[in-house]
């Protein structure tokens, strides 16, 4: 069996993020560009790839009641701290929001149609000159900063600028490799996974107080009427959806993101944690299951892309959750592979129409399907190989999802963006 540094992969991909990562990234670029010049704001121009624009379009700005790309850029410039990465809006105050609303300057948002991967360029003009900052490939990866014609920082496209996720030999990884790692890794190497569980559970507790769609309250009301059971699946949907509601409503508490997404991080961790605790699993076994879930999520997103036309929260994070739950149910690599195939056979085609409070509905569907996929797998039920989008193996299925996202559904983004722009 090949040796893979899965621990470093998890450590590189698990990062705290305040609010939806796309608005955080936009604010980060604007904050870095403003920091290059300082002074009175005169003009802000943001250019970004379509997926970034789409995901940020209806997003709540953490700690505020504001939404969208323009406000994220304005707040980043007015009060963002770029040194905090995706938590750059951590210290935003109501005064910053009031100033942003009173700005009487042009804030232009442009979509770079030729850019497929993550790309943001902020150009902030002040009385002192023009500051520029550029983010590429990853949400917090600042690769360029300048003041007027003076380059302040440039990150070359070298191994140093590529995370281990980009350099990782995913084509050689198997589900067996990931399961074996989860079973045998020293628990001391899973500190980042432990932090993920603690952070996302804390976020869920905030969401349970009542915010966003609050769909767990609807679940509770209909449970009391007998329409829903008070079971493990109900508990998992509650824990997951409360965290999603808190994040998507913009509460000022971080989620532990994975592959640049807090929603992915929530969905790949909370259902697994909930099932583990409900079933009496030890905290060590839950840690191992969440580690496996994280690896499957990263593996899936390697092929579908960090921003895609498919709902990665469900197909990426949800596939991870199915794997983690299957592991806790006693399944091995064979059953985990079957669960991943079940997810693809069920929810492939769910579109991503940007980050918004509506994502919690998709997450709820993802939790249910992850449980169904796991239950079928441990009962020995398998989708036949080469059945529809299901490939000759779970690994091939994930590659097929990448083709569907890239070749089959990429025009969908242009349609969604057009709907957003014409609806303004």
């Amino acid at each position: 069996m090949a040796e893979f540094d899965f621990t470093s992969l998890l450590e590189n991909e698990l990062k705290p993020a305040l609010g939806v990562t796309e608005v955080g990234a936009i604010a980060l670029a604007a904050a870095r560009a403003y920091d290059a010049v300082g002074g009175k704001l005169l003009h802000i121009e943001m250019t970004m790839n379509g997926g970034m624009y789409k995901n940020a379009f209806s997003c709540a700005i953490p700690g505020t009641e504001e939404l969208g790309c323009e406000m994220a850029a304005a707040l980043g410039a007015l009060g963002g701290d770029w040194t905090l990465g995706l938590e750059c809006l951590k210290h935003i105050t109501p005064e910053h929001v009031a100033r942003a609303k009173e700005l009487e300057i042009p804030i232009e948002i442009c979509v770079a149609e030729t850019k497929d991967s993550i790309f943001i360029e902020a150009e902030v003009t002040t009385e002192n000159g023009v500051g520029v900052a550029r983010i590429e490939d990853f949400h917090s990866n600042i690769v360029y900063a300048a003041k007027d014609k003076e380059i302040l920082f440039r990150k070359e496209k070298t191994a140093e600028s590529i995370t281990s996720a980009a350099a990782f030999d995913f084509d050689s990884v198997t589900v067996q490799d990931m399961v074996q790692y989860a079973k045998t890794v020293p628990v001391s190497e899973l500190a980042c996974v432990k932090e993920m569980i603690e952070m996302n559970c804390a976020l869920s507790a905030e969401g349970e107080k009542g915010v966003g769609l609050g769909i767990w309250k609807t679940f509770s009301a209909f449970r009391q009427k007998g329409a829903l059971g008070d079971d493990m699946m109900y508990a998992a949907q509650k824990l997951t959806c409360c965290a999603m509601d808190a994040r998507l409503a913009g509460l000022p508490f971080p989620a532990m993101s994975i592959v640049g997404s807090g929603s992915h991080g929530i969905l790949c961790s909370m259902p697994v944690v909930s099932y583990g605790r409900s079933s009496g699993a030890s905290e060590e076994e839950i840690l191992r299951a969440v580690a496996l879930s994280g690896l499957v999520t990263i593996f899936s997103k390697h092929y579908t892309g960090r921003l895609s036309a498919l709902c990665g929260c469900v197909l990426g994070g949800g596939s991870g959750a199915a794997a983690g739950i299957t592991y806790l149910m006693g399944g091995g690599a064979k059953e985990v592979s079957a669960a991943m195939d079940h997810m693809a056979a069920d929810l492939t085609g769910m579109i991503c129409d940007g980050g918004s409070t509506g994502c919690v509905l998709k997450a709820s569907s993802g939790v249910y399907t992850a449980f169904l996929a796991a239950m079928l797998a441990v009962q020995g039920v398998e989708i036949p190989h080469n059945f529809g989008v299901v490939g000759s193996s779970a690994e091939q299925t994930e590659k097929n999802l990448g083709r569907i996202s890239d070749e089959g559904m990429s025009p969908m983004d242009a349609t969604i963006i057009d709907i957003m722009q014409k609806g303004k």
Side-chain angles (χ1 to χ4, degrees):
M1 184 179 294
E3 292 291 332
F4 299 98
D5 190 358
F6 288 125
T7 298
S8 292
L9 183 64
L10 287 168
E11 289 173 346
N12 280 319
E13 289 292 357
L14 269 59
K15 304 292 182 186
L18 188 63
V20 176
T21 44
E22 281 69 46
V23 288
I26 291 169
L28 174 60
R32 181 65 183 96
Y34 177 80
D35 185 73
V37 284
K40 182 180 178 181
L41 285 170
L42 300 177
H43 182 262
I44 298 174
E45 181 175 330
M46 307 291 299
T47 303
M48 63 196 72
N49 63 298
M52 182 66 61
Y53 174 86
K54 177 191 71 173
N55 278 22
F57 184 84
S58 300
C59 282
I61 311 297
T64 77
E65 297 181 356
E66 309 305 316
L67 304 172
C69 303
E70 290 89 347
M71 184 58 71
L75 289 174
L78 285 170
D81 181 351
W82 70 270
T83 65
L84 297 178
L86 293 177
E87 293 186 278
C88 68
L89 296 181
K90 187 174 184 177
H91 302 302
I92 290 296
T93 66
E95 288 71 26
H96 289 121
V97 176
R99 286 174 59 198
K101 288 182 174 182
E102 293 169 359
L103 280 178
E104 296 181 352
I105 64 168
I107 301 179
E108 299 180 52
I109 307 295
C110 308
V111 177
E113 296 179 2
T114 58
K115 298 288 186 180
D116 294 325
S117 61
I118 292 173
F119 175 87
I120 310 172
E121 183 166 279
E123 184 176 292
V124 177
T125 303
T126 76
E127 59 188 357
N128 297 335
V130 179
V132 177
R134 188 180 306 134
I135 289 174
E136 293 183 2
D137 300 327
F138 307 98
H139 289 75
S140 60
N141 188 38
I142 298 174
V143 299
Y144 178 87
K147 176 182 179 181
D148 297 323
K149 294 183 179 181
E150 178 189 359
I151 296 175
L152 304 177
F153 172 76
R154 173 179 282 159
K155 181 185 286 189
E156 301 296 336
K157 288 279 189 175
T158 63
E160 183 181 355
S161 67
I162 301 174
T163 71
S164 86
F168 209 81
D169 185 11
F170 284 99
D171 288 342
S172 298
V173 172
T174 67
V175 174
Q176 177 63 51
D177 293 326
M178 293 185 277
V179 171
Q180 185 64 21
Y181 169 83
K183 286 182 176 179
T184 60
V185 61
V187 175
S188 60
E189 293 187 24
L190 299 180
C192 63
V193 177
K194 186 174 187 294
E195 186 182 1
M196 177 188 225
I197 293 171
E198 292 171 349
M199 185 175 292
N200 289 346
C201 283
L203 185 65
S204 181
E206 294 297 331
E208 190 176 348
K209 296 175 183 178
V211 70
L213 295 183
I215 68 171
W216 80 267
K217 292 185 177 179
T218 298
F219 289 159
S220 180
F222 278 85
R223 179 179 59 80
Q224 293 174 14
K225 295 179 181 180
L228 296 172
D230 189 6
D231 52 25
M232 293 181 182
M233 194 177 298
Y234 167 81
Q237 286 184 308
K238 177 180 177 180
L239 188 69
T240 305
C241 292
C242 285
M244 289 289 289
D245 265 328
R247 175 176 183 267
L248 294 162
L251 292 190
F253 304 95
M256 184 64 81
S257 71
I258 191 167
V259 291
S261 168
S263 291
H264 289 51
I266 290 168
L267 195 53
C268 88
S269 60
M270 293 295 90
V272 182
V273 171
S274 181
Y275 174 76
R277 291 177 178 173
S278 296
S279 63
S282 69
E283 286 301 305
E284 177 179 328
E285 282 301 296
I286 292 171
L287 274 174
R288 295 183 182 280
V290 174
L292 174 61
S293 178
L295 290 176
V296 170
T297 300
I298 296 166
F299 182 82
S300 175
K301 292 298 292 182
H302 171 72
Y303 293 104
T304 60
R306 289 175 179 252
L307 297 177
S308 70
L310 290 173
C311 177
C313 171
V314 167
L315 278 169
S319 293
I325 293 168
T326 300
Y327 177 89
L328 289 172
M329 289 179 173
K334 182 175 183 289
E335 291 75 22
V336 168
S337 295
M340 292 166 65
D341 282 343
H342 293 153
M343 291 295 295
D346 191 337
L347 290 177
T348 298
M350 181 182 283
I351 65 168
C352 171
D353 57 348
S356 70
T357 54
C359 291
V360 70
L361 298 173
K362 293 183 174 72
S364 178
S365 299
V367 173
Y368 172 83
T369 306
F371 268 79
L372 177 61
M375 291 187 293
L376 290 171
V378 297
Q379 286 296 104
V381 178
E382 297 181 51
I383 292 287
H385 289 162
N386 300 310
F387 181 92
V389 302
V390 175
S392 57
S393 64
E395 295 86 354
Q396 184 59 49
T397 298
E398 298 307 317
K399 295 174 185 177
N400 292 347
L401 292 180
R403 287 194 60 195
I404 291 168
S405 178
D406 184 43
E407 301 172 28
M409 292 184 66
S410 58
M412 182 70 70
D413 270 354
T415 301
I416 293 172
I417 290 169
D418 186 60
I419 290 170
M420 289 174 167
Q421 292 177 327
K422 289 181 177 178
K424 294 185 72 174

